[in-house]
Every structure is written in C-alpha cells, then in structure tokens.
Amino acid sequence: MSHPLRFALNRMVAPRLSLPGFIDLAVTLKADAIEIRNDLKGIEIEDGTAPHTIRELCAAHGVRVLSINALYPFDVWNDERRAQALNLAAYARDCGAEALVLCPFNGPADPRTASERAAGLHTALTELAPILREYGVLGFVEPLGFEQCSLRHKRQAVDAIKATGGLDVFRVVHDTFHHHLADEKEFFADLTGLVHISGVEDGDVPLANIRDGHRVLVGEGDILGNAAQIGRLLSDGYTGHLSFEPFADSVHEMDDIKQALGASMAYLDTAQTLANPI
C-alpha cells in the first residue's frame, strides 16, 4: 500500500501498543515517520525508555522520528521550563527526533493579560532558540484553538517567530482540529513544519464545546474539512508529513487500528485525487 500523501503516526494513534508494535504498525501502513510523546503514562518517554532504544528501533525499520510531543506550557517561561526544555532537547538529539512540539498554556486559570501572554511568547521563543540550536533540533509551535488557550492563532506565532529572529529553528504546526476550532483563515505552508490530522463527526456538539475526546480518524463524516485544509496546504507548497493524532477512546480501543488507519489514508488519498485530477 503506497500513498501520494506523506503520512506519519503520532503515538496518540495507538498508545496501548508497545514501541516495537507501534513502529511495526507504521511500517505496515507504509508511513515512514512517527511522533513520540512525553505525556502518556506507561510508555516511552514516561516509562524511562532510553533514547538510544528508540533511535535503534526506528533506524532498523527506516522510520523517522519527526518530533517529541511536547514541551508544555512552553510560553510560561521559568527555571522549570528551561530545565524541561534542556532535558527534552537532549532526549530528542539522542533518540533522533527532529523537533520538539511546543504547546502553549491551555486552561482557564491563566491570570495573564493579552499583552503579558504576548510578552511570555516572545520571551519563550528568545530563550528556546539557542537551546534548539545547540542540540540541533527544531521547535514546532502548535497553537491550540480552544477559547481558553493563550496562543490560538498561527498568525500570532508566525509574527513572534519573525520578531525574535527564529526562522532558522522554529516552524508552526498546522493542526486541522485546532485550525477549525480557532476559525482560522490563514495558511502558512512555507513555515509549516508538521500537520496534525484528526476528524470530528459529532455535528451536534457546539464548536466551543468540542474537545480532544471528540477527535477520531478522518473519514467521510468529518466536519472539520480535513481534505480541504490538506488540499490548500499542498497547493500552497507544503511537502511534509500528515501525522494522525486522534485522542478519542473509541480509536484507542479499536480491535483493528491498522485497517481503520488504512481506510482513513485511502479516503484522504482519494479526496486529493478527486480534487486534483490528472
């Protein structure tokens, strides 16, 4: 099975598989890249897996590690965040990960004003840049579309990256779920380092109430416009990976995640073929 689109698997696709099982899943589906996470209990990285173990397993199967997901909340910069950034950057270097995903503060308890949040973003990018350069990894800034999030729009991230002189080490993540939630209109294909894809099929939930638990694989019932978003990014010149990132328990509990992922890949392949006939 081969794809004109470049698919990757975020660890959230199958958090109950072992690392070798997860890599085998990617290889079977001809997805040549994965993302690992530091926020899932009982698996790498949280379980203490050595970085060289990940590097060796992936290298043996010809699989790239696109990112470690994530440094959070990266835009609340302090001594603790610096220590976390240094540890994750070192782990990324040693396991072969190409980038760190950087997620902003997401919660109703943020006491900062809009100007203070903007200043925090500027400070974080300024402090992170030399760390990323030293360890040879990129920083993928991922705005989150939730109303309570401190950084909702890619425009703000792009402007801050440019203002801090970080174009050599920072890119943005285009997450189809968060792009829809934030009602974003702008696409930044040239500055997009990674695309996260997931679908939502429950049309009865108000937009403001949609949460990660609604995120499933992308299919015909998708209400987020994944196919259209991907088409726009490709037409604007994006050539990177589309990484599946479903959070719904219904996906994690599937008996045959390989078949389900294959069907989603086929749906997206077909959608792009129909939209761009030869």
Side-chain angles (χ1 to χ4, degrees):
M1 183 189 305
S2 62
H3 308 283
L5 301 178
R6 300 180 68 191
F7 291 114
L9 303 185
N10 186 290
R11 195 63 165 102
M12 191 58 74
V13 165
R16 300 178 188 183
L17 287 180
S18 66
L19 178 60
F22 179 62
I23 294 172
D24 285 343
L25 175 66
V27 171
T28 300
L29 291 166
K30 302 204 181 302
D32 66 349
I34 62 170
E35 294 180 88
I36 58 176
R37 304 184 70 98
N38 64 335
D39 60 351
L40 292 172
K41 298 294 184 182
I43 62 172
E44 74 296 333
I45 301 173
E46 191 274 340
D47 67 352
T49 297
H52 69 80
T53 299
I54 297 172
R55 177 187 285 271
E56 292 169 1
L57 278 171
C58 288
H61 291 85
V63 171
R64 293 167 59 184
V65 183
L66 296 179
S67 80
I68 297 175
N69 194 336
L71 177 64
Y72 173 86
F74 88 93
D75 58 335
V76 181
W77 194 258
N78 50 35
D79 290 343
E80 178 186 9
R81 204 70 60 245
R82 174 182 293 278
Q84 291 171 338
L86 288 167
N87 287 336
L88 282 174
Y91 197 101
R93 176 198 61 196
D94 295 344
C95 81
E98 299 169 17
L100 296 180
V101 173
L102 309 172
C103 288
F105 185 85
N106 179 45
D110 190 347
R112 299 175 298 169
T113 64
S115 61
E116 288 171 337
R117 289 193 291 270
L121 173 62
H122 189 284
T123 296
L125 294 176
T126 300
E127 295 289 339
L128 274 166
I131 295 173
L132 297 171
R133 292 180 185 119
E134 178 183 354
Y135 287 91
V137 296
L138 295 172
F140 289 168
V141 180
E142 182 171 17
L144 306 179
F146 302 120
E147 291 182 353
Q148 65 187 14
C149 184
S150 61
L151 176 60
R152 298 187 68 202
H153 298 101
K154 293 185 291 296
R155 163 58 67 187
Q156 185 182 359
V158 166
D159 288 347
I161 290 169
K162 291 179 177 179
T164 54
L167 287 173
D168 60 319
V169 288
F170 293 113
R171 300 290 184 272
V172 293
V173 175
H174 180 109
D175 186 297
T176 57
F177 173 80
H178 291 297
H179 181 88
H180 183 83
L181 253 61
D183 193 28
E184 286 202 85
K185 307 301 181 187
E186 292 185 283
F187 290 74
F188 299 92
D190 59 329
L191 290 178
T192 297
L194 182 62
V195 175
H196 282 158
I197 58 175
S198 58
V200 172
E201 298 185 347
D202 190 344
D204 295 329
V205 180
L207 188 64
N209 293 339
I210 293 177
R211 292 293 181 267
D212 281 334
H214 293 98
R215 299 171 67 173
V216 295
L217 298 177
V218 183
E220 292 184 3
D222 175 45
I223 64 174
L224 303 181
N226 269 269
Q229 289 188 47
I230 291 168
R232 170 64 184 276
L233 284 163
L234 295 177
S235 68
D236 286 355
Y238 179 71
T239 59
H241 285 84
L242 311 172
S243 184
F244 284 94
E245 192 186 33
F247 282 73
D249 288 340
S250 60
V251 175
H252 302 163
E253 294 167 358
M254 283 182 174
D255 293 329
D256 194 347
I257 185 62
K258 180 177 72 173
Q259 187 279 331
L261 279 165
S264 187
M265 290 174 175
Y267 165 76
L268 288 169
D269 278 339
T270 300
Q272 294 308 311
T273 299
L274 292 174
N276 301 282
I278 297 176

